[in-house]
Amino acid sequence: MELLIWIGAAISLLGLTGIVGCVVAVTRAKRAGLDDEAMRARLQKVVAWNLGSLFTSAIGLAMVAVGVILS
């Protein structure tokens, strides 16, 4: 079960990296000074990316929890 914990931690770290990437993307979009329509289009893409990253991180944390419970 130790392997499950490490794989879960790696997946969770991957999701966390995606969330940090979302923050960077939104910061860059704000600094670009886009008009309203372009900003909405860019943020819609980032929202999808953010939800995917959050889901990935949650799956990784669930794997860690299962691994700890089964150990």
Side-chain angles (χ1 to χ4, degrees):
M1 289 302 124
E2 187 175 331
L3 183 62
L4 183 64
I5 295 171
W6 284 107
I7 291 172
I11 291 173
S12 184
L13 188 61
L14 182 69
L16 183 63
T17 304
I19 292 171
V20 170
C22 290
V23 171
V24 170
V26 168
T27 304
R28 286 183 182 168
K30 284 185 178 181
R31 288 184 183 166
L34 301 172
D35 63 340
D36 226 15
E37 202 57 37
M39 181 67 89
R40 283 180 193 266
R42 186 164 304 175
L43 290 181
Q44 283 178 348
K45 292 178 185 175
V46 173
V47 166
W49 184 16
N50 190 18
L51 287 174
S53 297
L54 185 63
F55 178 73
T56 302
S57 182
I59 293 296
L61 288 174
M63 289 174 68
V64 170
V66 169
V68 168
I69 289 170
L70 293 177
S71 290

